[in-house]
Coordinates of all heavy atoms in Angstrom, one line a residue:
M1 N 100.9 54.0 132.0 CA 101.3 55.0 133.0 C 101.1 56.4 132.4 O 101.4 56.7 131.3 CB 102.8 54.9 133.3 CG 103.2 53.7 134.0 SD 103.0 54.1 135.8 CE 103.8 52.7 136.5
A2 N 100.6 57.3 133.3 CA 100.4 58.7 132.9 C 101.6 59.5 133.5 O 102.2 59.1 134.5 CB 99.1 59.2 133.5
S3 N 101.9 60.5 132.8 CA 103.0 61.4 133.3 C 102.3 62.7 133.9 O 101.4 63.2 133.2 CB 103.9 61.8 132.2 OG 104.9 62.6 132.7
L4 N 102.6 63.0 135.1 CA 102.0 64.1 135.8 C 103.0 65.2 135.9 O 104.1 65.0 136.5 CB 101.5 63.6 137.2 CG 100.9 64.6 138.1 CD1 99.6 65.2 137.5 CD2 100.7 64.0 139.5
T5 N 102.7 66.4 135.4 CA 103.6 67.5 135.6 C 103.0 68.5 136.6 O 101.8 68.9 136.4 CB 103.8 68.2 134.2 OG1 104.4 67.3 133.3 CG2 104.7 69.4 134.4
Q6 N 103.7 68.8 137.6 CA 103.2 69.7 138.7 C 103.7 71.1 138.4 O 104.9 71.4 138.4 CB 103.7 69.2 140.0 CG 103.2 70.1 141.1 CD 103.8 69.7 142.5 OE1 104.3 68.6 142.6 NE2 103.6 70.5 143.5
A7 N 102.8 72.0 138.3 CA 103.1 73.4 138.2 C 103.3 74.0 139.6 O 102.8 73.4 140.5 CB 102.0 74.2 137.4
P8 N 104.1 75.1 139.7 CA 104.3 75.6 141.0 C 102.9 76.0 141.6 O 102.1 76.6 141.0 CB 105.1 76.9 140.8 CG 105.7 76.7 139.4 CD 104.8 75.8 138.7
S9 N 102.8 75.7 142.9 CA 101.6 76.1 143.6 C 101.6 77.6 143.9 O 102.6 78.2 144.2 CB 101.5 75.3 145.0 OG 100.5 75.8 145.8
R10 N 100.4 78.2 143.8 CA 100.3 79.6 144.1 C 100.5 79.9 145.5 O 100.8 81.0 145.9 CB 98.9 80.1 143.6 CG 98.8 80.2 142.1 CD 97.4 80.5 141.8 NE 96.8 79.1 141.7 CZ 95.5 78.9 141.4 NH1 94.7 79.8 141.2 NH2 95.1 77.7 141.4
R11 N 100.3 78.9 146.4 CA 100.5 79.1 147.8 C 101.9 79.0 148.3 O 102.2 79.3 149.4 CB 99.6 78.0 148.6 CG 98.1 78.2 148.4 CD 97.3 77.3 149.2 NE 97.6 75.9 148.7 CZ 97.4 74.8 149.5 NH1 96.9 74.9 150.7 NH2 97.7 73.6 149.0
D12 N 102.8 78.5 147.4 CA 104.2 78.3 147.8 C 104.9 79.7 147.9 O 104.7 80.5 147.1 CB 105.0 77.5 146.8 CG 104.7 76.0 146.9 OD1 104.1 75.6 147.9 OD2 105.0 75.3 145.9
D13 N 105.6 79.9 149.0 CA 106.4 81.1 149.2 C 107.7 81.0 148.3 O 108.2 82.1 148.0 CB 106.7 81.4 150.6 CG 105.5 81.7 151.4 OD1 104.5 82.2 150.9 OD2 105.5 81.4 152.6
T14 N 108.1 79.8 148.1 CA 109.4 79.7 147.3 C 109.0 79.2 145.9 O 107.9 78.7 145.7 CB 110.3 78.6 148.0 OG1 109.5 77.3 148.0 CG2 110.7 78.9 149.4
R15 N 109.8 79.5 145.0 CA 109.6 79.1 143.6 C 109.8 77.6 143.5 O 110.9 77.1 143.8 CB 110.4 79.9 142.7 CG 110.0 81.4 142.7 CD 110.7 82.1 141.6 NE 110.5 83.5 141.8 CZ 109.6 84.2 141.1 NH1 109.0 83.6 140.1 NH2 109.4 85.5 141.3
S16 N 108.9 76.9 143.0 CA 109.0 75.4 142.8 C 109.3 75.1 141.3 O 108.8 75.9 140.4 CB 107.7 74.7 143.2 OG 107.4 74.9 144.5
R17 N 110.0 74.1 141.1 CA 110.2 73.6 139.8 C 109.2 72.6 139.4 O 108.6 72.0 140.3 CB 111.6 73.0 139.7 CG 112.8 74.0 139.8 CD 114.1 73.3 139.5 NE 114.1 71.9 139.9 CZ 115.2 71.2 140.1 NH1 116.3 71.8 139.9 NH2 115.1 70.0 140.4
S18 N 109.0 72.4 138.2 CA 108.0 71.4 137.7 C 108.7 70.1 137.7 O 109.9 70.0 137.3 CB 107.5 71.8 136.3 OG 106.6 70.9 135.9
H19 N 108.0 69.0 138.1 CA 108.6 67.7 138.1 C 107.6 66.7 137.4 O 106.4 66.8 137.6 CB 108.9 67.2 139.5 CG 109.9 68.0 140.2 ND1 111.2 67.9 140.1 CD2 109.7 69.0 141.1 CE1 111.8 68.8 140.8 NE2 110.9 69.5 141.5
N20 N 108.2 65.7 136.8 CA 107.4 64.7 136.2 C 107.4 63.5 137.1 O 108.4 63.1 137.6 CB 107.9 64.2 134.8 CG 107.7 65.3 133.8 OD1 106.8 66.1 133.8 ND2 108.6 65.4 132.8
V21 N 106.2 62.9 137.3 CA 106.1 61.7 138.2 C 105.2 60.7 137.4 O 104.2 61.0 136.9 CB 105.3 62.0 139.5 CG1 105.1 60.8 140.3 CG2 106.1 63.1 140.2
R22 N 105.7 59.5 137.3 CA 105.0 58.4 136.6 C 104.0 57.8 137.5 O 104.4 57.3 138.6 CB 106.0 57.4 136.0 CG 106.9 58.0 134.9 CD 107.7 57.1 134.2 NE 107.0 56.1 133.4 CZ 106.4 56.3 132.2 NH1 106.4 57.5 131.7 NH2 105.8 55.4 131.5
I23 N 102.7 57.8 137.1 CA 101.7 57.2 137.9 C 100.8 56.3 137.0 O 100.8 56.5 135.8 CB 100.8 58.3 138.6 CG1 100.2 59.2 137.6 CG2 101.6 59.0 139.6 CD1 99.2 60.3 138.2
T24 N 100.1 55.4 137.6 CA 99.2 54.6 136.8 C 98.0 55.4 136.2 O 97.7 56.5 136.8 CB 98.6 53.4 137.6 OG1 97.8 54.0 138.6 CG2 99.7 52.6 138.2
E25 N 97.3 54.9 135.2 CA 96.2 55.6 134.7 C 95.1 55.7 135.7 O 94.4 56.7 135.8 CB 95.6 54.8 133.5 CG 96.5 54.9 132.2 CD 96.6 56.3 131.7 OE1 95.6 57.1 131.8 OE2 97.6 56.7 131.1
A26 N 94.9 54.7 136.6 CA 93.9 54.7 137.6 C 94.2 55.8 138.6 O 93.3 56.5 139.0 CB 93.9 53.3 138.3
T27 N 95.5 56.0 139.0 CA 95.8 57.1 139.9 C 95.6 58.4 139.2 O 95.1 59.4 139.9 CB 97.3 56.9 140.4 OG1 97.4 55.7 141.0 CG2 97.7 58.0 141.3
H28 N 95.9 58.5 138.0 CA 95.7 59.8 137.3 C 94.2 60.1 137.2 O 93.9 61.3 137.5 CB 96.3 59.6 135.8 CG 96.3 60.9 135.1 ND1 95.2 61.4 134.3 CD2 97.2 61.9 135.0 CE1 95.5 62.5 133.8 NE2 96.7 62.9 134.2
R29 N 93.4 59.1 137.0 CA 91.9 59.4 137.0 C 91.5 59.8 138.3 O 90.7 60.7 138.5 CB 91.2 58.1 136.5 CG 91.1 58.0 135.0 CD 90.1 56.9 134.6 NE 90.4 55.6 135.3 CZ 91.2 54.7 134.8 NH1 91.9 54.9 133.7 NH2 91.4 53.5 135.4
A30 N 92.0 59.1 139.4 CA 91.6 59.5 140.7 C 92.0 60.9 141.1 O 91.2 61.7 141.7 CB 92.2 58.5 141.7
V31 N 93.2 61.3 140.8 CA 93.6 62.7 141.0 C 92.8 63.7 140.2 O 92.4 64.7 140.7 CB 95.2 62.8 140.8 CG1 95.6 64.3 140.9 CG2 96.0 61.9 141.7
S32 N 92.5 63.3 139.0 CA 91.7 64.2 138.1 C 90.3 64.4 138.8 O 89.8 65.5 138.8 CB 91.5 63.6 136.7 OG 92.7 63.6 136.0
E33 N 89.7 63.3 139.2 CA 88.4 63.4 139.9 C 88.5 64.3 141.1 O 87.6 65.1 141.4 CB 87.8 62.0 140.2 CG 87.5 61.3 138.9 CD 87.1 59.8 139.2 OE1 87.0 59.4 140.4 OE2 87.0 59.0 138.2
L34 N 89.5 64.0 142.0 CA 89.6 64.8 143.2 C 89.8 66.3 142.9 O 89.3 67.2 143.6 CB 90.8 64.3 144.0 CG 90.5 62.9 144.7 CD1 91.8 62.3 145.2 CD2 89.4 63.0 145.8
A35 N 90.6 66.6 141.9 CA 90.9 67.9 141.5 C 89.6 68.6 141.0 O 89.3 69.8 141.4 CB 92.0 68.0 140.4
A36 N 88.8 67.9 140.2 CA 87.6 68.5 139.7 C 86.6 68.7 140.8 O 85.9 69.8 140.9 CB 87.0 67.5 138.6
Q37 N 86.5 67.8 141.7 CA 85.5 67.9 142.8 C 85.9 69.0 143.8 O 85.0 69.7 144.3 CB 85.5 66.6 143.6 CG 84.8 65.5 142.9 CD 85.0 64.1 143.6 OE1 85.6 64.0 144.6 NE2 84.5 63.1 143.0
S38 N 87.2 69.1 144.1 CA 87.7 70.1 145.1 C 88.0 71.5 144.6 O 88.1 72.4 145.3 CB 88.9 69.5 145.8 OG 90.0 69.4 145.0
G39 N 88.3 71.5 143.3 CA 88.8 72.8 142.7 C 90.3 73.0 142.9 O 90.8 74.1 142.6
N40 N 91.0 72.0 143.5 CA 92.4 72.1 143.7 C 93.2 71.6 142.5 O 92.6 70.8 141.7 CB 92.8 71.3 144.9 CG 92.2 71.9 146.2 OD1 92.3 73.2 146.4 ND2 91.7 71.1 147.1
S41 N 94.4 72.0 142.4 CA 95.2 71.6 141.3 C 95.7 70.2 141.5 O 95.7 69.7 142.7 CB 96.4 72.5 141.1 OG 97.3 72.4 142.2
F42 N 96.3 69.5 140.5 CA 96.9 68.2 140.6 C 98.0 68.3 141.7 O 98.1 67.4 142.6 CB 97.5 67.8 139.3 CG 96.7 66.9 138.5 CD1 95.4 67.4 138.1 CD2 97.1 65.7 138.0 CE1 94.6 66.6 137.3 CE2 96.3 64.9 137.2 CZ 95.0 65.4 136.8
G43 N 98.8 69.3 141.6 CA 99.9 69.5 142.6 C 99.4 69.6 144.0 O 100.0 69.0 144.9
E44 N 98.3 70.3 144.2 CA 97.8 70.4 145.6 C 97.3 69.1 146.1 O 97.4 68.8 147.3 CB 96.7 71.5 145.6 CG 97.3 72.9 145.4 CD 96.2 74.0 145.2 OE1 95.2 73.7 144.5 OE2 96.4 75.1 145.6
I45 N 96.6 68.4 145.2 CA 96.1 67.0 145.6 C 97.2 66.1 146.0 O 97.2 65.5 147.1 CB 95.3 66.4 144.5 CG1 94.1 67.3 144.1 CG2 94.9 65.0 144.8 CD1 93.0 67.4 145.1
I46 N 98.3 66.1 145.2 CA 99.4 65.2 145.5 C 100.1 65.7 146.7 O 100.5 64.9 147.6 CB 100.4 65.3 144.3 CG1 99.8 64.8 143.0 CG2 101.7 64.5 144.6 CD1 99.5 63.3 142.8
E47 N 100.3 67.0 146.9 CA 100.9 67.6 148.1 C 100.2 67.2 149.3 O 100.8 66.8 150.3 CB 101.0 69.1 147.9 CG 101.8 69.8 149.0 CD 101.8 71.3 148.7 OE1 102.3 71.7 147.6 OE2 101.4 72.1 149.6
R48 N 98.9 67.3 149.3 CA 98.1 66.9 150.5 C 98.2 65.4 150.8 O 98.3 65.0 151.9 CB 96.6 67.3 150.3 CG 96.4 68.8 150.4 CD 95.0 69.1 150.2 NE 94.8 70.6 150.2 CZ 93.6 71.2 150.2 NH1 92.5 70.5 150.1 NH2 93.6 72.5 150.3
A49 N 98.2 64.6 149.7 CA 98.3 63.1 149.9 C 99.7 62.8 150.5 O 99.7 61.9 151.4 CB 98.1 62.4 148.6
V50 N 100.7 63.4 150.0 CA 102.0 63.1 150.6 C 102.2 63.6 152.0 O 102.7 62.9 152.9 CB 103.1 63.7 149.7 CG1 104.5 63.7 150.3 CG2 103.2 63.1 148.3
D51 N 101.6 64.7 152.3 CA 101.6 65.3 153.7 C 100.9 64.3 154.6 O 101.4 64.0 155.7 CB 101.0 66.6 153.7 CG 101.1 67.3 155.1 OD1 102.2 67.4 155.6 OD2 100.0 67.6 155.6
R52 N 99.7 63.8 154.2 CA 98.9 62.9 155.0 C 99.7 61.6 155.2 O 99.8 61.1 156.3 CB 97.6 62.6 154.4 CG 96.7 61.7 155.2 CD 95.4 61.5 154.7 NE 94.6 60.7 155.6 CZ 93.3 60.7 155.7 NH1 92.6 61.6 155.0 NH2 92.7 59.9 156.5
Y53 N 100.3 61.1 154.1 CA 101.1 59.8 154.2 C 102.3 60.0 155.2 O 102.6 59.2 156.0 CB 101.6 59.4 152.9 CG 102.4 58.1 152.9 CD1 101.7 56.9 153.1 CD2 103.8 58.1 152.7 CE1 102.5 55.7 153.1 CE2 104.5 57.0 152.8 CZ 103.8 55.8 152.9 OH 104.5 54.6 153.0
R54 N 102.9 61.2 155.1 CA 104.1 61.5 156.0 C 103.6 61.5 157.5 O 104.3 60.9 158.3 CB 104.7 62.8 155.6 CG 105.9 63.2 156.5 CD 106.5 64.5 156.1 NE 107.0 64.6 154.8 CZ 106.6 65.5 153.9 NH1 105.8 66.4 154.2 NH2 107.1 65.5 152.7
R55 N 102.5 62.1 157.7 CA 101.9 62.2 159.1 C 101.6 60.8 159.6 O 101.8 60.4 160.7 CB 100.7 63.1 159.2 CG 101.2 64.5 159.3 CD 100.0 65.5 159.5 NE 99.4 65.9 158.2 CZ 98.2 65.7 157.8 NH1 97.3 65.2 158.6 NH2 97.8 66.1 156.6
E56 N 101.0 60.0 158.7 CA 100.6 58.6 159.1 C 101.9 57.8 159.5 O 101.8 57.0 160.4 CB 99.9 57.9 157.9 CG 98.5 58.3 157.7 CD 97.8 57.7 156.5 OE1 98.5 56.9 155.8 OE2 96.7 58.1 156.2
Q57 N 102.9 58.0 158.7 CA 104.2 57.3 159.0 C 104.8 57.7 160.3 O 105.3 56.9 161.1 CB 105.2 57.5 157.8 CG 104.8 56.9 156.5 CD 104.6 55.4 156.6 OE1 105.6 54.7 157.0 NE2 103.5 54.9 156.3
M58 N 104.7 59.0 160.6 CA 105.2 59.6 161.8 C 104.5 59.0 163.0 O 105.1 58.6 164.0 CB 105.1 61.1 161.8 CG 105.6 61.8 163.1 SD 105.3 63.5 163.1 CE 103.5 63.6 163.2
F59 N 103.1 59.0 162.9 CA 102.3 58.5 164.0 C 102.5 57.0 164.2 O 102.5 56.4 165.3 CB 100.8 58.8 163.8 CG 100.6 60.3 164.1 CD1 100.0 61.1 163.2 CD2 100.8 60.8 165.4 CE1 99.7 62.4 163.4 CE2 100.6 62.1 165.7 CZ 100.0 62.9 164.7
A60 N 102.7 56.2 163.1 CA 102.9 54.8 163.2 C 104.3 54.5 163.9 O 104.4 53.7 164.7 CB 103.0 54.2 161.8
L61 N 105.3 55.3 163.6 CA 106.6 55.2 164.3 C 106.5 55.5 165.7 O 107.0 54.8 166.6 CB 107.6 56.1 163.6 CG 109.0 56.1 164.2 CD1 109.6 54.7 164.2 CD2 109.9 57.1 163.5
A62 N 105.7 56.6 166.1 CA 105.5 57.0 167.5 C 104.8 55.9 168.2 O 105.2 55.5 169.4 CB 104.8 58.3 167.5
A63 N 103.8 55.3 167.6 CA 103.1 54.2 168.2 C 104.0 53.0 168.5 O 103.9 52.3 169.5 CB 101.9 53.8 167.4
E64 N 104.8 52.7 167.5 CA 105.8 51.6 167.7 C 106.7 51.8 168.8 O 107.0 50.9 169.6 CB 106.6 51.3 166.4 CG 105.9 50.7 165.3 CD 106.7 50.6 164.0 OE1 108.0 50.7 164.1 OE2 106.1 50.5 162.9
Q65 N 107.2 53.1 168.9 CA 108.2 53.4 170.0 C 107.5 53.4 171.3 O 108.1 52.9 172.3 CB 108.8 54.8 169.7 CG 109.7 54.7 168.5 CD 110.2 56.1 168.1 OE1 109.6 57.1 168.4 NE2 111.3 56.2 167.3
L66 N 106.3 53.9 171.4 CA 105.5 53.8 172.7 C 105.2 52.4 173.1 O 105.4 52.0 174.2 CB 104.2 54.6 172.5 CG 103.4 54.7 173.8 CD1 104.2 55.3 175.0 CD2 102.1 55.5 173.5
Q67 N 104.9 51.5 172.1 CA 104.7 50.1 172.4 C 106.0 49.5 172.9 O 105.9 48.7 173.9 CB 104.2 49.4 171.2 CG 103.7 48.0 171.5 CD 102.6 47.9 172.5 OE1 101.6 48.6 172.3 NE2 102.7 47.2 173.6
A68 N 107.1 49.9 172.4 CA 108.4 49.3 172.8 C 108.6 49.7 174.3 O 109.1 48.9 175.1 CB 109.5 49.8 171.9
I69 N 108.3 50.9 174.6 CA 108.4 51.4 176.0 C 107.5 50.6 176.9 O 107.9 50.1 178.0 CB 108.1 52.9 176.1 CG1 109.3 53.7 175.5 CG2 108.0 53.3 177.6 CD1 109.0 55.2 175.3
Q70 N 106.2 50.4 176.5 CA 105.2 49.7 177.3 C 105.7 48.2 177.5 O 105.4 47.7 178.5 CB 103.9 49.7 176.5 CG 103.3 51.0 176.3 CD 102.8 51.7 177.6 OE1 102.5 51.0 178.6 NE2 102.7 53.0 177.6
D71 N 106.4 47.6 176.5 CA 106.8 46.2 176.6 C 108.1 46.0 177.4 O 108.4 44.9 177.8 CB 107.0 45.7 175.2 CG 105.7 45.6 174.4 OD1 104.6 45.6 175.0 OD2 105.8 45.4 173.1
D72 N 108.8 47.1 177.7 CA 110.1 47.0 178.5 C 109.8 47.5 179.9 O 109.6 48.7 180.1 CB 111.1 47.9 177.8 CG 112.5 47.7 178.5 OD1 112.5 47.7 179.7 OD2 113.5 47.7 177.7
P73 N 109.8 46.6 180.9 CA 109.5 47.0 182.3 C 110.3 48.1 182.8 O 109.8 49.0 183.5 CB 109.7 45.7 183.1 CG 109.6 44.6 182.1 CD 110.1 45.2 180.8
E74 N 111.6 48.1 182.5 CA 112.5 49.2 182.9 C 112.2 50.5 182.3 O 112.1 51.5 183.0 CB 114.0 48.8 182.6 CG 115.0 49.7 183.3 CD 116.4 49.2 183.0 OE1 116.6 48.0 183.2 OE2 117.2 50.1 182.7
L75 N 112.0 50.6 181.0 CA 111.6 51.8 180.4 C 110.2 52.3 180.8 O 110.0 53.5 181.0 CB 111.6 51.6 178.9 CG 112.9 51.5 178.2 CD1 112.8 51.2 176.7 CD2 113.8 52.7 178.4
R76 N 109.3 51.3 181.0 CA 107.9 51.7 181.5 C 108.0 52.3 182.9 O 107.3 53.3 183.2 CB 107.1 50.4 181.5 CG 105.7 50.6 182.1 CD 104.9 51.6 181.3 NE 103.7 52.1 182.0 CZ 102.5 51.7 181.6 NH1 102.3 51.0 180.5 NH2 101.5 52.2 182.3
A77 N 108.9 51.8 183.8 CA 109.0 52.3 185.1 C 109.6 53.8 185.1 O 109.1 54.6 185.8 CB 109.9 51.4 186.0
E78 N 110.5 54.0 184.2 CA 111.1 55.4 184.0 C 110.0 56.3 183.5 O 109.9 57.5 184.0 CB 112.2 55.4 183.0 CG 113.5 54.8 183.5 CD 114.6 54.8 182.4 OE1 114.6 55.7 181.6 OE2 115.4 53.8 182.4
M79 N 109.2 55.9 182.6 CA 108.1 56.7 182.0 C 107.1 57.0 183.1 O 106.6 58.1 183.3 CB 107.5 56.1 180.8 CG 106.5 57.0 180.1 SD 105.8 56.3 178.6 CE 104.6 55.1 179.3
D80 N 106.7 56.0 183.9 CA 105.7 56.2 184.9 C 106.3 57.1 186.0 O 105.5 58.0 186.5 CB 105.4 54.8 185.6 CG 104.5 54.0 184.7 OD1 104.0 54.5 183.7 OD2 104.4 52.7 185.0
A81 N 107.6 57.1 186.3 CA 108.1 58.0 187.3 C 108.1 59.4 186.8 O 107.8 60.4 187.5 CB 109.6 57.6 187.6
E82 N 108.4 59.6 185.5 CA 108.3 61.0 184.9 C 106.8 61.5 184.9 O 106.6 62.6 185.3 CB 108.8 61.0 183.4 CG 110.3 60.9 183.3 CD 110.8 61.1 181.9 OE1 110.1 61.8 181.1 OE2 111.8 60.5 181.6
Y83 N 105.9 60.6 184.6 CA 104.5 61.0 184.6 C 104.1 61.4 186.0 O 103.4 62.4 186.3 CB 103.6 59.9 184.1 CG 103.5 59.7 182.6 CD1 103.0 58.6 182.1 CD2 104.0 60.7 181.8 CE1 102.9 58.4 180.7 CE2 104.0 60.5 180.4 CZ 103.4 59.3 179.9 OH 103.4 59.1 178.5
A84 N 104.5 60.7 187.0 CA 104.2 61.0 188.4 C 104.8 62.3 188.8 O 104.1 63.1 189.5 CB 104.7 59.9 189.3
M85 N 106.0 62.6 188.4 CA 106.6 63.9 188.7 C 105.8 65.1 188.1 O 105.6 66.0 188.7 CB 108.1 63.9 188.1 CG 108.8 65.2 188.4 SD 110.4 65.3 187.6 CE 110.0 65.4 185.9
F86 N 105.4 64.9 186.8 CA 104.7 65.9 186.2 C 103.3 66.1 186.8 O 102.8 67.2 187.0 CB 104.5 65.7 184.7 CG 105.8 65.9 183.9 CD1 106.3 64.8 183.1 CD2 106.5 67.0 183.9 CE1 107.4 65.0 182.4 CE2 107.6 67.2 183.2 CZ 108.1 66.2 182.4
D87 N 102.7 65.0 187.2 CA 101.4 65.1 187.9 C 101.5 65.8 189.2 O 100.7 66.7 189.6 CB 100.8 63.7 188.1 CG 100.3 63.0 186.9 OD1 100.1 63.7 185.9 OD2 100.1 61.8 186.9
A88 N 102.6 65.6 190.0 CA 102.8 66.2 191.2 C 103.0 67.7 191.0 O 102.4 68.6 191.8 CB 104.0 65.7 192.0
V89 N 103.7 68.1 190.0 CA 103.9 69.5 189.7 C 102.6 70.2 189.3 O 102.3 71.3 189.8 CB 105.0 69.7 188.6 CG1 105.1 71.2 188.1 CG2 106.4 69.3 189.1
A90 N 101.8 69.5 188.5 CA 100.6 70.1 188.1 C 99.6 70.3 189.3 O 98.9 71.3 189.4 CB 99.9 69.2 187.0
V91 N 99.5 69.3 190.1 CA 98.7 69.3 191.3 C 99.1 70.5 192.2 O 98.3 71.3 192.7 CB 98.6 68.0 192.1 CG1 98.0 68.2 193.4 CG2 97.9 66.9 191.3
E92 N 100.4 70.6 192.4 CA 100.9 71.7 193.3 C 100.6 73.1 192.7 O 100.2 74.0 193.4 CB 102.5 71.6 193.4 CG 103.1 72.6 194.3 CD 104.6 72.4 194.3 OE1 105.1 71.3 194.5 OE2 105.3 73.4 194.2
A93 N 100.7 73.2 191.4 CA 100.4 74.5 190.7 C 98.9 74.8 190.8 O 98.5 75.9 191.1 CB 100.8 74.4 189.2
L94 N 98.1 73.8 190.7 CA 96.6 74.0 190.8 C 96.2 74.3 192.3 O 95.3 75.1 192.5 CB 95.9 72.7 190.4 CG 95.8 72.5 188.9 CD1 95.1 71.1 188.6 CD2 95.0 73.6 188.2
E95 N 96.9 73.8 193.2 CA 96.6 74.1 194.6 C 96.9 75.5 195.0 O 96.3 76.1 195.8 CB 97.4 73.1 195.6 CG 96.8 71.7 195.5 CD 97.7 70.7 196.3 OE1 98.8 71.1 196.7 OE2 97.2 69.6 196.5
R96 N 97.9 76.1 194.3 CA 98.3 77.5 194.5 C 97.4 78.5 193.8 O 97.3 79.6 194.1 CB 99.7 77.8 194.1 CG 100.7 77.1 195.0 CD 102.1 77.6 194.6 NE 102.4 77.4 193.2 CZ 103.4 76.8 192.7 NH1 104.4 76.4 193.5 NH2 103.6 76.7 191.4
E97 N 96.6 78.0 192.8 CA 95.7 78.9 192.0 C 94.6 79.3 192.9 O 94.0 78.5 193.6 CB 95.2 78.1 190.8 CG 96.1 78.1 189.6 CD 96.3 79.5 189.0 OE1 95.3 80.2 188.7 OE2 97.5 79.7 188.7
E98 N 94.2 80.5 192.7 CA 93.0 81.0 193.4 C 91.8 80.9 192.4 O 91.9 81.4 191.3 CB 93.1 82.5 193.8 CG 94.1 82.6 194.9 CD 94.1 84.1 195.4 OE1 93.1 84.7 195.3 OE2 95.2 84.5 195.9
W99 N 90.8 80.1 192.7 CA 89.7 79.9 191.9 C 88.6 80.8 192.3 O 87.8 81.1 192.6 CB 89.3 78.4 191.9 CG 90.4 77.5 191.4 CD1 91.4 77.0 192.1 CD2 90.6 77.2 190.0 NE1 92.2 76.2 191.2 CE2 91.7 76.3 190.0 CE3 89.9 77.4 188.8 CZ2 92.2 75.8 188.8 CZ3 90.4 76.8 187.7 CH2 91.5 76.0 187.7

């Protein structure tokens, strides 16, 4: 295992503390290669990876919740009714627009 020490990012508005994270040698090599290729620091590479993972998790949860709505006829009917209401408002607004 390699120990990774993150220095404060120059882009941070707040002062960051340095933290040690234990990672495998393979992960350390991969981060090193990415840092060398991109010119970004280890911390920036890790920060971007965590941000991407967080977004992936958020979208996965949203997809699960949408699927649950799709699978429940009652919830699906409520959602369809809301969509129909929004569509009607949008059409009404467009009809009033002078093109």
Side-chain angles (χ1 to χ4, degrees):
M1 290 274 190
S3 182
L4 176 67
T5 301
Q6 177 183 352
S9 172
R10 286 170 274 178
R11 294 184 296 158
D12 286 346
D13 292 333
T14 60
R15 296 188 186 256
S16 299
R17 292 188 327 198
S18 182
H19 298 281
N20 291 328
V21 178
R22 294 187 64 74
I23 57 175
T24 64
E25 289 295 330
T27 300
H28 189 271
R29 277 192 305 276
V31 174
S32 291
E33 289 171 10
L34 290 168
Q37 291 169 0
S38 67
N40 293 316
S41 69
F42 267 54
E44 289 167 327
I45 300 293
I46 302 283
E47 190 175 303
R48 288 180 181 186
V50 169
D51 184 57
R52 183 174 181 155
Y53 182 73
R54 183 182 297 125
R55 280 186 271 125
E56 286 174 0
Q57 294 299 303
M58 179 187 67
F59 285 120
L61 177 60
E64 286 176 21
Q65 292 171 341
L66 183 57
Q67 189 61 52
I69 290 171
Q70 298 289 336
D71 293 344
D72 184 320
E74 190 174 313
L75 290 176
R76 175 62 193 252
E78 287 179 34
M79 187 175 76
D80 288 344
E82 283 187 34
Y83 284 166
M85 179 186 67
F86 289 125
D87 287 345
V89 170
V91 168
E92 182 181 313
L94 285 174
E95 288 172 349
R96 288 190 307 231
E97 276 295 313
E98 289 186 31
W99 295 89

